[in-house]
Amino acid sequence: VRDREAQAQADADAEAEAEAGGGSKDDGDEEDPAEAGADVPQVQAEGGGQAVAGVPPIPTYCSNAEVEAQARSMIKDDGALLRFLRARDFDVAKAYKMVKADFKWRVLVRPREIKASMIPEGLRQHLIRCVGFDKEGAPVCILVSGNWEPDKHDLDEYIRTIAYNMELITAAMSENAQQMTLVFDMGGWSFKRHGGGFAMQCTNQLIKVVQHHYPTFLKKAFLINVPTIFKIAWKVISPWIDPRTREKVFFLGKDEMAERLLELIPANVLETTFGGEADPTTDIFAFPPEERDVDKARARIISTIRPQIDQVPPKHQVAVPARGKHVLDVRVNEGQAVEWHAHTTDKDCDIRTFFALVHDAEEAME
């Protein structure tokens, strides 16, 4: 991706010359809607609330110079670029297209510059609570559908609210746990309030923002207290979700809810209403009003919350010397995943993975 920077600059110069200082649209490069990222809304479906007076809408135009500045600020972030490559199965051309769209989106939405005054309904409705960390150090967030009042905000505020919360969640991620665990409490979901045109438009934006601008951050998503009527909406929603992401979404019935959640989430983090021991009002991002702007909130998270979780080591961490060998036997159940990160000081290392049924494990290791 980084090798394309010179070509991107040449393209930008050509655009600027052709359009005499025009905007960021690539007239000669038709963009695949699936790669374009979250839309900047221009037409809002019926049923949406009115924009709050004094809150600027999301712009629909940005200059090439602004996009270039954004690109230069992100191009050095190997972790971010790697996430885009993973999201596109290491297809460099597709990842480049995705990154390019992300640069433009960030210039327009400016997620790191969101003020609390820009998302008054998003904060009042308390759409997302971060309640702590799972057993592997990933942030655990609760989304309560009953709190969502889509008729009280417009689409721009909703997009900013999603971006605001994602910026806070990613700030809380440690080096060893670069993903999040989500629990959607669907108990208050109703077709009348949440299944209409505008609400579904918002849901579509939620999926787009997370998939296209915060890719691969989802670890698992659990839907609980799901009403039967939601199955109708799910038929519309599920095709919007990347197939690999859909595999991380689990519907839990009441009989299995507590057991399944407690497999991943500590009892002192999971709230009592879901079978845990924690206070249902817990929110580690509940900062005072003067610290709710995204830059101040992120600084608070990085300085006070991150140090606590950064001290939690991976379950298994070993140092293998040059020409050395280490064998680790990991037992996993159906549906679980094994993740590893290898860091080398020189050359490369060979990683081999063998899978076997438990009763054949000893033979496989031999």
Side-chain angles (χ1 to χ4, degrees), residues 20 22 34 44-45 57 69 73 94 124 153 155 174 189-190 208-209 212 215 220 263 265 302 325 338 354 360:
Q44 182 167 288
S73 71
K94 290 183 178 180
R124 184 191 69 80
H153 58 72
L155 197 55
S174 70
W189 193 92
S190 71
K208 281 187 173 183
V209 169
H212 294 289
K220 287 186 178 180
E263 288 177 358
I265 304 171
I302 292 170
K325 179 180 179 181
V338 179
F354 300 90
D360 295 328

Side-chain angles (χ1 to χ4, degrees), residues 152-294:
K152 298 293 179 64
H153 58 72
D154 66 358
L155 197 55
D156 281 8
E157 181 179 348
Y158 189 73
I159 290 173
R160 280 189 173 125
T161 299
I162 299 167
Y164 173 91
N165 282 290
M166 286 304 302
E167 289 297 325
L168 268 55
I169 293 168
T170 54
M173 292 179 180
S174 70
E175 182 180 350
N176 296 323
Q178 288 284 302
Q179 289 184 305
M180 60 184 175
T181 296
L182 302 182
V183 178
F184 290 84
D185 182 358
M186 306 298 294
W189 193 92
S190 71
F191 199 87
K192 181 178 181 181
R193 175 188 275 186
H194 304 120
F198 175 68
M200 294 298 279
Q201 190 177 2
C202 288
T203 302
N204 179 268
Q205 284 297 316
L206 168 64
I207 294 167
K208 281 187 173 183
V209 169
V210 174
Q211 286 191 161
H212 294 289
H213 305 293
Y214 301 90
T216 73
F217 275 132
L218 180 63
K219 181 178 180 179
K220 287 186 178 180
F222 299 99
L223 277 68
I224 62 176
N225 299 323
V226 181
T228 304
I229 192 67
F230 179 74
K231 294 180 180 179
I232 298 175
W234 182 246
K235 290 181 180 180
V236 177
I237 296 169
S238 58
W240 299 338
I241 305 174
D242 182 271
R244 289 173 300 179
T245 303
R246 281 203 302 269
E247 293 177 357
K248 302 177 182 180
V249 178
F250 302 90
F251 287 73
L252 302 183
K254 290 185 177 181
D255 294 339
E256 61 177 340
M257 178 178 68
E259 181 181 357
R260 290 287 302 278
L261 292 177
L262 287 170
E263 288 177 358
L264 182 62
I265 304 171
N268 63 351
V269 172
L270 187 66
E271 61 186 64
T272 53
T273 49
F274 303 153
E277 302 169 358
D279 183 341
T281 63
T282 299
D283 185 359
I284 62 175
F285 292 167
F287 303 130
E290 64 273 13
E291 294 185 11
R292 283 195 160 187
D293 291 349
V294 72

Side-chain angles (χ1 to χ4, degrees), residues 272-348:
T272 53
T273 49
F274 303 153
E277 302 169 358
D279 183 341
T281 63
T282 299
D283 185 359
I284 62 175
F285 292 167
F287 303 130
E290 64 273 13
E291 294 185 11
R292 283 195 160 187
D293 291 349
V294 72
D295 56 342
K296 296 177 182 178
R298 279 179 57 86
R300 175 78 174 269
I301 292 168
I302 292 170
S303 64
T304 63
I305 297 175
R306 271 279 296 279
Q308 303 172 33
I309 197 64
D310 282 340
Q311 296 174 3
V312 179
K315 287 190 173 181
H316 302 281
Q317 186 170 6
V318 296
V320 184
R323 293 176 296 280
K325 179 180 179 181
H326 179 79
V327 177
L328 180 65
D329 182 11
V330 180
R331 303 297 178 96
V332 295
N333 297 319
E334 183 178 358
Q336 291 183 318
V338 179
E339 180 179 359
W340 62 85
H341 301 269
H343 301 271
T344 60
T345 55
D346 188 28
K347 305 298 183 183
D348 202 352

